Amino acid sequence: MVFLLTQFFLNFISPENLKFQSFSGYVTRGIFFDLIKSVDEALAEKLHSNKGISPYSLTPVEIFSNGGMRFVYRRCEAPVRGRFRITAMRDDLSSVLKEAIISRDSINFVDRKAIITEISVREFNFHGFLENARPVRKFSVLFRTPCYFRLLPTKEGRRKGQYRAYPLPDPALLLRSALRLWTNFSDAKFNYEKFLEWVNEGGVSISGFPKGIRTVRVYEHPTTNKWNIGFVGEVRYSIPDDSYDPKFSSIVDALMSFSEISNVGGNRTAGFGVVEYRRADQCSSSQG
């Protein structure tokens, strides 16, 4: 049995303004659950109450603007031509989504209906990430939506599972986040322990912030004090000469390519941690 990642892009058009109570990723997550519930209520409930690693990720609403695409947080002016992405990391979830999406011609953004204009589906083989990987020495990651990582506190007396949000692009936390997803949903194995040891010993370093990074606070609902904070911006990474290993650097390449599909960090299910990964030879400017 081959394990697959399945990406669904839902393109839509709305003749009315779209206004979200907060970050549009929370709205696309609501649409995701509506889709699942329309086919399998038990699965929707199981996913909603899941305390483990969620087998899906989403993007916020992305609109077509001035010949390109940009994510929107709170408001879109009519007419709205946009899309969002759902990534399923299990075959059963992918099957339910296919059944749900194919039977729909519209979706609801809170109190506004949008017409589905196009649906595209892409499948990724986990083994393909490793087979197509090559050793990298330098690369950049554009964090397109807020990203944060979870640090479990070691201080005694704190609740089990309680964590601190860490809104900084630490390379070890970035790779550990991608590896955690990989080990839970992939059938393509490598020596996780040795790779993680190399990562924790400083295998990858930050080499620069070409345009800087900034933090963004996102409220789940405007009338509550429940919020998340994450960073956005471009970060350059490198593998120092004294830690370079072609096998491990190829795994870095595979995991970062995978992260473009899976998202990274916390709150992936609401569109956090959407990234673009570029090797040094794919970047428009030279990396230092």
Side-chain angles (χ1 to χ4, degrees):
M1 180 179 179
V2 177
F3 288 45
L4 297 174
L5 289 161
T6 307
Q7 267 190 340
F8 300 86
F9 282 93
L10 276 69
N11 289 44
F12 64 87
I13 187 167
S14 172
E16 300 181 273
N17 293 342
L18 295 180
K19 185 177 181 181
F20 311 114
Q21 291 181 326
S22 59
F23 186 57
S24 63
Y26 294 119
V27 179
T28 58
R29 183 166 62 185
I31 293 172
F32 166 82
F33 277 106
D34 286 343
L35 290 169
I36 300 298
K37 190 175 180 180
S38 70
V39 174
D40 191 332
E41 289 193 23
L43 177 59
E45 176 59 33
K46 185 176 180 180
L47 290 171
H48 191 267
S49 60
N50 177 41
K51 301 299 182 183
I53 302 175
S54 296
Y56 66 95
S57 64
L58 295 162
T59 66
V61 171
E62 191 174 23
I63 63 170
F64 297 88
S65 176
N66 299 321
M69 302 291 297
R70 66 179 177 87
F71 288 121
V72 293
Y73 283 51
R74 297 291 298 272
R75 184 178 178 86
C76 312
E77 300 294 333
V80 182
R81 293 175 56 247
R83 70 180 184 183
F84 64 93
R85 184 195 77 199
I86 304 172
T87 298
M89 302 182 194
R90 285 197 329 232
D91 291 343
D92 61 333
L93 179 56
S94 174
S95 297
V96 170
L97 279 169
K98 287 177 183 177
E99 184 178 347
I101 292 171
I102 202 169
S103 63
R104 293 288 189 98
D105 57 11
S106 65
I107 49 179
N108 292 320
F109 287 96
V110 190
D111 60 347
R112 296 285 189 272
K113 179 177 286 189
I115 305 303
I116 297 175
T117 58
E118 183 181 353
I119 300 167
S120 59
V121 181
R122 298 178 66 191
E123 290 185 336
F124 299 86
N125 183 330
F126 279 97
H127 290 273
F129 292 114
L130 292 176
E131 292 166 359
N132 295 323
R134 63 177 190 260
V136 291
R137 299 297 295 261
K138 299 178 181 180
F139 61 94
S140 70
V141 180
L142 175 61
F143 295 87
R144 297 190 62 204
T145 63
C147 179
Y148 68 89
F149 300 105
R150 291 186 171 102
L151 286 179
L152 292 175
T154 57
K155 184 178 179 180
E156 294 183 5
R158 290 180 181 165
R159 296 191 305 272
K160 183 179 180 181
Q162 187 182 26
Y163 67 88
R164 290 284 187 262
Y166 188 78
L168 286 172
D170 182 283
L173 295 178
L174 170 64
L175 289 166
R176 279 156 53 182
S177 173
L179 182 63
R180 186 167 179 254
L181 291 171
W182 183 284
T183 57
N184 275 271
F185 300 111
S186 171
D187 60 332
K189 309 297 183 183
F190 53 86
N191 193 325
Y192 302 141
E193 292 76 15
K194 288 291 185 181
F195 175 74
L196 192 56
E197 181 180 331
W198 176 78
V199 168
N200 291 336
E201 289 177 351
V204 180
S205 299
I206 292 176
S207 60
F209 306 94
K211 297 181 181 179
I213 61 171
R214 62 187 177 90
T215 54
V216 180
R217 179 177 292 195
V218 176
Y219 286 84
E220 187 165 341
H221 192 281
T223 62
T224 69
N225 197 36
K226 187 177 181 181
W227 49 269
N228 286 290
I229 189 169
F231 65 91
V232 293
E234 185 179 358
V235 183
R236 290 177 177 172
Y237 298 92
S238 64
I239 298 177
D241 290 342
D242 60 1
S243 63
Y244 178 74
D245 181 292
K247 182 176 181 180
F248 291 151
S249 63
S250 292
I251 293 173
V252 169
D253 187 48
L255 286 176
M256 293 313 304
S257 296
F258 163 67
S259 72
E260 288 193 299
I261 314 302
S262 66
N263 300 6
V264 293
N267 219 14
R268 295 175 299 105
T269 62
F272 279 56
V274 178
V275 300
E276 288 183 9
Y277 163 64
R278 295 292 180 269
R279 305 179 186 97
D281 59 4
Q282 295 174 312
C283 299
S284 56
S285 59
S286 62
Q287 295 195 26

